[in-house]
Amino acid sequence: MANITSYFPITDPTQIFFVVMLIILFAPIVMGKLRIPHIIGMILAGILVGPHGLGLLAQDSSFHIFGTVGLYFIMLLAGLEMNMEDFKHNRDKTVVHGLLAFAIPMILGFAVNSVILKYGVLTSILLASMYASHTLIAYPTVMKFGLTQERSVTIAVGATAITDTLTLLVLAIIVALFKGNVTGWFWVMLVVKTALVFTIIILGFPRMARKFFKLYDSAVVQFIFVIVLMFLAAILMELVDLEGLLGAFLTGLVLNRYVPKVSRLMYNLEFVGNAIFIPYFLISVGMLVSVESMLSGWTTIKVASVMILIALTSKWLASLMTQKTFRLQPLEREMIFGLSNAQAGATLAAVMVGYNIFLPDGQRLLNNDVLNGTIILILVTCLYSSVTTERASKLMVLRNRDMMPHDDVADDEKILIPMNYPEIADSLMSLGIMMRNNKLNRGLVGLNVIFEDHDTRNNLERGRKLLDHMLQYANSMNVLMQTQVRISNNIATGIKHAFNEFHASEIIMGLHTHHDVSNKFWGDFHQNLFNSLSRQIIMAHIKQPLNTIRRIQVAVPSRAQYEPGFYRWIERLARVGDNIECRMIFHGRKDTLILIGEYMRNNHPNLRGEYLPMEHWNELPQLATTIANDHLFVVVSARKGTISYKNALERLPDELRRHFSGINLMIIFPDQYDGDTDVITVANPQIPLSDSPYEDIREWIKGIPRPLQPEGE
């Protein structure tokens, strides 16, 4: 037995990492069978294998480093997942709850610490500040249930930054008091340093991110860049005597719109955080707990009981007052309370600072009883927070399922992405993933159509490599995808047959830019396709990453609302706008804009939209002066013979070449019919139509000038 115990605690890095990975692997499995939140499993496992349990692992520097990074990841993801428009709408609620969650624990805690625990003024204030802070330890549970956009979650996450900032400011002031540094100059420097750091992060980081993401689109490079900014913000916060976790949270907030929720970068950040660093943090929290200290004496139990009672009661009162003030639902109050009652990061920092401060008589500011009581407080509140948040999350998911409109279930959405050029593969995939309905999760279809000629074998291999790249892109974001390489004598016919075989609902494809293939604005197969297929076709030429697009401007023809596909293209554009959190400006007739605005308010209330009248289509060139390089210009066109078609659309290629060259461009041909799209009628001839014969006649008769067509009625 002595020989066996001599091997513990494990010191070999490989073996330490192996044991931790075993915990991360099996803790969720075991806890799932016991119907206990996975987070609790990680904490209990840390207690079991830690220095105060079986002693298998020592709480060495690796747990401190990985645990700190895990806490940073929790705060970073909380900032990135937050819907900023929803945050703005709930700004008052967030500020009020943040102030209540700080003030109530401070007042109640100071009174109890002074009267019941008999501590001095500074000790009581410092101890009360520990009750005021909280850590989003249960936030991974909210992510697991897909509730990060809920109003209650937004309020709790935003309030965390407020309470922790105020708590750490109290901590900095108490430390300065004991060092004798509290002078007029101290207050000036505290305000100046804090304001400077916040200014650097809030104003500097977004500009750096926009330029960096335009230059480098590698998923690995972008991931490292975000992590560098996160640590830089943490270092800056620590320089002004605040905790690095605030810097991580602020980094997530300012990079929010540059890291779309359905992007590869976001998926990579969530994967790495949830797979390694966040579990490491939870295990390190468990390793702090000493069962022996809990039972060391009546004083420790008394202190711990008071601390737990005050911490939970004060946070519940703050949640209740927020609910009553803003008339929130009881379930929202429970979610806010669940997320805001866990004590870990800032609480541990405060107790360690107080423990290392010695009074003139040689006593510690916070003694061993408070230190042990704090560890018990961390354990109990983390477990309670996990259980409460998971219960509220399950109830919220059931509520949302009952409220979900049935239209989403009946949607025929399935997006086909034909592709032939590798240089535009990533942009089209990113666009398709942002436009898809995540709730339906029907995946995408990647297609490559090649001619049957003497070079068929090489083209097949090139097509397979391109589709393999598309499949890898989709897999990196956990998106289902089907791929197909097919041979055809006509590219448009091949795409149409694949469209029918896969029962696709729409097409997203690259806009023709290769003049060596065709000197027309529409490539030959593009024009054949949108004239022979009546479902929605989106053609895009996007020159920069979508997450760096600052504004989407949409030109809508008159009578567009009478097309069967009117609401489909609005929904697709709205999803892109929601993902990259940019402003959308619609230009069109007032009757059309009214319907667009009504749809946006009902289905995408957080999307920032403007609706500017454009009475005549010949005003289109005037929009060129309002479109910058980081805008996306969308033109809603129409096929010949449809309700919204007008003769002015014949000039669209020339106008786009002349006024809108070099910009990010998207052209949409909406759905033409609700039913069978292959019915041959006078309005739907199902033959490729090229240029208008009238245009050919005008070109042939040089002496006849081309008249300007009025707005088509």
Side-chain angles (χ1 to χ4, degrees), residues 451 490-493 509 512 514 516-532 539 688-691:
F451 283 114
N490 184 284
I491 298 295
T493 302
M509 61 197 307
H512 171 67
H514 292 263
D516 56 328
V517 176
S518 174
N519 59 3
K520 299 178 181 178
F521 182 83
W522 312 116
D524 290 332
F525 88 91
H526 288 77
Q527 191 164 8
N528 292 343
L529 185 64
F530 64 69
N531 279 307
S532 63
M539 292 182 287
L689 299 175
S690 57
D691 294 334

Coordinates of all heavy atoms in Angstrom, one line a residue, residues 451 490-493 509 512 514 516-532 539 688-691:
F451 N -19.1 19.5 -68.0 CA -19.4 19.0 -69.3 C -18.8 17.7 -69.6 O -17.8 17.3 -69.0 CB -18.8 20.0 -70.3 CG -19.6 21.3 -70.5 CD1 -19.1 22.5 -70.1 CD2 -20.9 21.3 -71.0 CE1 -19.8 23.7 -70.2 CE2 -21.6 22.4 -71.2 CZ -21.1 23.6 -70.8
N490 N -25.4 20.2 -70.7 CA -25.9 21.6 -70.5 C -25.8 21.8 -69.0 O -26.5 21.1 -68.2 CB -27.3 21.7 -71.0 CG -27.8 23.2 -70.9 OD1 -28.1 23.6 -69.8 ND2 -27.8 23.9 -72.0
I491 N -25.1 22.8 -68.6 CA -24.9 23.1 -67.1 C -26.2 23.4 -66.5 O -26.6 22.9 -65.4 CB -23.9 24.2 -66.9 CG1 -22.5 23.9 -67.5 CG2 -23.8 24.6 -65.4 CD1 -21.9 22.7 -66.8
A492 N -27.0 24.3 -67.1 CA -28.3 24.7 -66.5 C -29.2 23.5 -66.4 O -29.9 23.3 -65.4 CB -29.0 25.7 -67.4
T493 N -29.2 22.6 -67.4 CA -30.1 21.4 -67.3 C -29.6 20.5 -66.2 O -30.4 19.9 -65.4 CB -30.1 20.6 -68.6 OG1 -30.5 21.5 -69.7 CG2 -30.9 19.4 -68.6
M509 N -25.9 30.6 -55.7 CA -24.8 30.4 -56.6 C -24.0 31.7 -56.8 O -24.4 32.8 -56.4 CB -25.3 29.9 -57.9 CG -26.2 30.9 -58.7 SD -27.2 30.1 -60.0 CE -25.9 29.3 -60.9
H512 N -21.8 35.5 -62.1 CA -20.9 35.3 -63.2 C -19.8 36.5 -63.2 O -20.2 37.6 -63.3 CB -21.6 35.3 -64.5 CG -20.7 35.3 -65.7 ND1 -19.9 34.3 -66.0 CD2 -20.6 36.3 -66.7 CE1 -19.2 34.6 -67.1 NE2 -19.6 35.8 -67.5
H514 N -16.4 35.5 -64.7 CA -15.4 35.1 -65.6 C -15.7 35.4 -67.1 O -16.4 34.7 -67.7 CB -15.2 33.5 -65.5 CG -14.7 33.2 -64.1 ND1 -13.4 32.9 -63.9 CD2 -15.3 33.0 -62.9 CE1 -13.2 32.6 -62.6 NE2 -14.4 32.7 -62.0
D516 N -13.8 35.3 -69.6 CA -13.3 34.4 -70.6 C -14.3 33.2 -70.9 O -14.1 32.6 -71.9 CB -12.0 33.8 -70.1 CG -12.1 33.0 -68.8 OD1 -13.0 33.5 -68.0 OD2 -11.4 32.1 -68.5
V517 N -15.3 33.0 -70.0 CA -16.3 32.0 -70.3 C -17.5 32.6 -71.1 O -18.0 32.0 -72.0 CB -16.8 31.4 -69.0 CG1 -17.9 30.5 -69.2 CG2 -15.7 30.8 -68.2
S518 N -17.9 33.8 -70.7 CA -19.0 34.5 -71.3 C -18.8 36.0 -71.1 O -18.5 36.5 -70.0 CB -20.3 34.1 -70.8 OG -21.4 34.9 -71.4
N519 N -19.0 36.8 -72.2 CA -18.8 38.3 -72.1 C -20.1 39.0 -71.7 O -20.1 40.2 -71.6 CB -18.2 38.8 -73.4 CG -19.2 38.5 -74.6 OD1 -20.2 38.0 -74.4 ND2 -18.7 38.9 -75.8
K520 N -21.1 38.2 -71.4 CA -22.4 38.8 -71.0 C -22.4 39.0 -69.5 O -21.7 38.3 -68.8 CB -23.6 37.9 -71.4 CG -23.7 37.7 -72.9 CD -24.9 36.8 -73.2 CE -25.0 36.6 -74.7 NZ -26.1 35.7 -75.1
F521 N -23.2 39.9 -69.0 CA -23.3 40.1 -67.5 C -23.8 38.8 -66.9 O -23.2 38.3 -65.9 CB -24.2 41.3 -67.2 CG -24.3 41.5 -65.7 CD1 -23.4 42.3 -65.1 CD2 -25.4 41.0 -65.0 CE1 -23.5 42.6 -63.7 CE2 -25.5 41.2 -63.6 CZ -24.5 42.0 -63.0
W522 N -24.9 38.3 -67.4 CA -25.4 37.0 -66.9 C -24.6 35.9 -67.7 O -24.5 36.0 -68.9 CB -26.9 36.7 -67.2 CG -27.8 37.8 -66.8 CD1 -28.6 38.6 -67.6 CD2 -28.0 38.3 -65.4 NE1 -29.3 39.5 -66.8 CE2 -29.0 39.3 -65.5 CE3 -27.5 37.9 -64.2 CZ2 -29.4 40.0 -64.4 CZ3 -28.0 38.6 -63.1 CH2 -28.9 39.6 -63.2
G523 N -24.0 35.0 -67.0 CA -23.4 33.9 -67.7 C -24.5 33.1 -68.5 O -25.7 33.2 -68.1
D524 N -24.1 32.4 -69.6 CA -25.1 31.8 -70.4 C -26.0 30.8 -69.6 O -27.2 30.8 -69.7 CB -24.4 31.0 -71.5 CG -23.8 32.0 -72.6 OD1 -24.4 33.1 -72.7 OD2 -22.9 31.6 -73.2
F525 N -25.3 30.0 -68.7 CA -26.1 29.0 -68.0 C -26.9 29.7 -66.9 O -27.9 29.2 -66.5 CB -25.2 27.9 -67.5 CG -24.6 28.2 -66.1 CD1 -25.2 27.8 -65.0 CD2 -23.3 28.8 -66.0 CE1 -24.6 28.0 -63.7 CE2 -22.7 29.0 -64.8 CZ -23.4 28.6 -63.7
H526 N -26.4 30.9 -66.3 CA -27.2 31.6 -65.3 C -28.5 32.0 -65.9 O -29.6 31.8 -65.3 CB -26.4 32.9 -64.9 CG -25.2 32.6 -64.0 ND1 -24.0 32.2 -64.5 CD2 -25.0 32.7 -62.7 CE1 -23.2 32.1 -63.5 NE2 -23.8 32.4 -62.4
Q527 N -28.4 32.6 -67.1 CA -29.6 33.1 -67.7 C -30.6 32.0 -68.1 O -31.8 32.1 -67.9 CB -29.3 34.0 -69.0 CG -30.5 34.8 -69.5 CD -30.0 35.8 -70.5 OE1 -28.9 35.9 -70.8 NE2 -30.9 36.7 -70.9
N528 N -30.0 30.9 -68.6 CA -30.9 29.8 -68.9 C -31.5 29.2 -67.7 O -32.7 28.8 -67.7 CB -30.0 28.7 -69.6 CG -29.5 29.1 -71.0 OD1 -30.1 30.0 -71.6 ND2 -28.5 28.4 -71.5
L529 N -30.8 29.3 -66.6 CA -31.3 28.7 -65.4 C -32.5 29.5 -64.8 O -33.5 28.9 -64.5 CB -30.2 28.5 -64.3 CG -30.6 27.8 -63.0 CD1 -31.0 26.4 -63.3 CD2 -29.4 27.9 -62.0
F530 N -32.3 30.8 -64.6 CA -33.4 31.5 -64.0 C -34.6 31.8 -64.9 O -35.6 32.2 -64.4 CB -32.9 32.8 -63.3 CG -32.3 33.9 -64.2 CD1 -33.1 34.6 -65.1 CD2 -31.0 34.2 -64.1 CE1 -32.6 35.6 -65.9 CE2 -30.4 35.2 -64.9 CZ -31.2 35.9 -65.8
N531 N -34.4 31.5 -66.2 CA -35.5 31.6 -67.1 C -36.3 30.3 -67.2 O -37.4 30.2 -67.7 CB -35.1 32.1 -68.5 CG -34.9 33.6 -68.5 OD1 -35.8 34.3 -68.1 ND2 -33.8 34.0 -68.9
S532 N -35.6 29.2 -66.8 CA -36.3 27.9 -67.0 C -36.7 27.2 -65.6 O -37.3 26.2 -65.6 CB -35.3 26.9 -67.7 OG -34.1 26.7 -67.0
M539 N -28.0 34.9 -56.6 CA -26.7 35.0 -57.2 C -25.9 36.0 -56.4 O -26.4 37.2 -56.2 CB -26.7 35.3 -58.7 CG -27.3 34.2 -59.5 SD -27.3 34.6 -61.3 CE -28.6 35.8 -61.3
P688 N -34.8 28.9 -72.7 CA -33.8 29.9 -72.3 C -34.1 31.2 -73.2 O -34.1 31.2 -74.4 CB -32.4 29.3 -72.7 CG -32.7 28.2 -73.6 CD -34.1 27.7 -73.3
L689 N -34.3 32.3 -72.5 CA -34.5 33.6 -73.1 C -33.3 34.4 -72.9 O -32.8 34.6 -71.8 CB -35.7 34.3 -72.5 CG -37.1 33.6 -72.6 CD1 -38.1 34.4 -71.9 CD2 -37.4 33.4 -74.1
S690 N -32.7 34.9 -74.0 CA -31.5 35.8 -73.9 C -32.0 37.2 -73.9 O -32.9 37.6 -73.3 CB -30.6 35.5 -75.1 OG -31.2 35.6 -76.3
D691 N -31.3 38.0 -74.7 CA -31.6 39.5 -74.7 C -33.0 39.7 -75.4 O -33.4 38.9 -76.3 CB -30.5 40.3 -75.4 CG -29.2 40.3 -74.7 OD1 -29.3 40.1 -73.4 OD2 -28.2 40.4 -75.3

